[in-house]
Amino acid sequence: LADVVNTLIARMADASRLVRMVSARAVGNLGLAKREEVNRFATAVISSLMGFIESDVDELVLVSLDALAKIFDNVDEDFVSPVLVNLCLRLKPAFENSTPKVRANAFTLFGVLSNFGANNVPFMEQFHGALPSMLVHSNDKSRPVRGAAKLCIRRLIPLCGNAALDEIFLSKAFDPDILLNFEEFLDRLAPALVTFYDTSAL
């Protein structure tokens, strides 16, 4: 397995875009292996995939986002914590990408990071900084983006430990397949956010 993973990582720097894409997609499938195997190669694989997030080629961005989501669903926190804030910073521009699928997949991956967010103050700061964008895109013109943004918030908001925010974001009205009355939603949300940030240490 080591020879295969190392070869795929090397091919992710190939001059051919197709070879880079196929290699990144294949290395992402490491996330389907046993956790001890994922942990064994996690540092090198995560570093290589993160390099594609800011690519000018949307296809490479999409492949890296999908691959990282697979890895992060099956890896120990120790291998993610050192790059967590850096990853958040790289992800944020993808929220505004002109390609809907890139936006949707970026929100999906940010939501997966909730696996590592409990009691992680720097990560929570990144979440709070990204929340306005997530809220805007919960009303995105693209249905998949709306759904991904909502699911991202739903995965992360419980980490805030605030019952009022939980009630709003975990309610039926915020289900991914339901189109929000956005103005009414913001009217309800604004007082809860003001109260939360007024009393929060963040």
Side-chain angles (χ1 to χ4, degrees), residues 24-51:
R25 184 176 292 114
V27 84
N29 287 330
L30 176 67
L32 305 177
K34 293 181 180 179
R35 177 164 290 216
E36 54 265 32
E37 295 293 345
V38 180
N39 289 337
R40 180 183 172 195
F41 300 105
T43 300
V45 168
I46 291 170
S47 176
S48 298
L49 290 170
M50 282 177 59

Side-chain angles (χ1 to χ4, degrees), residues 111-122:
V112 171
L113 299 182
S114 64
N115 294 344
F116 317 104
N119 303 314
N120 188 319
V121 173

Side-chain angles (χ1 to χ4, degrees), residues 56-74:
D56 293 331
V57 181
D58 283 351
E59 291 87 349
L60 288 174
V61 178
L62 284 169
V63 168
S64 68
L65 295 174
D66 287 341
L68 284 167
K70 290 179 182 177
I71 298 295
F72 290 154
D73 261 335
N74 189 28

